[in-house]
Amino acid sequence: MEQRLLAQGTGTNNTINVYPDRVEIRTGWDNENANSLGLKQIANVSIRGLVNCTLTIEVNDGRRLNVERMALPDARQVKAAIEAQKQKAGLYE
């Protein structure tokens, strides 16, 4: 059963999809590499920049995943969706 997509954004060679229970980052040629993160694994989400934004997702194990050269509305939409899902699940401070 396919879950519904809450938010989606694209950056340089990256696509980020936000689902109700996870965040999926697809990279590579034709988005063949998928990295899926559960909401519990995400520690923080931040945006840097105004024109070509960088969305940074900090993972609990110390990794920082950057999606570079995103449009600001896409970055804001993805960040808001992740924070809303974490708050709904009771995982956000």
Side-chain angles (χ1 to χ4, degrees), residues 10-82:
T10 58
T12 304
N13 297 328
N14 292 322
T15 301
I16 184 166
N17 300 323
V18 181
Y19 295 99
D21 63 338
R22 70 186 189 283
V23 175
E24 191 174 78
I25 300 174
R26 296 187 159 272
T27 61
W29 180 259
D30 202 24
N31 291 325
E32 66 230 7
N33 303 325
N35 186 10
S36 184
L37 299 170
L39 290 176
K40 288 184 178 181
Q41 292 178 295
I42 298 173
N44 191 19
V45 180
S46 62
I47 299 173
R48 190 178 69 225
L50 292 174
V51 177
N52 290 327
C53 301
T54 300
L55 180 80
T56 303
I57 298 174
E58 295 180 25
V59 186
N60 286 337
D61 61 5
R63 292 182 294 160
R64 296 181 77 167
L65 305 172
N66 293 326
V67 181
E68 298 177 344
R69 296 186 59 140
M70 287 185 75
L72 183 59
D74 288 349
R76 284 183 176 164
Q77 180 184 18
V78 168
K79 181 181 179 195
I82 292 171

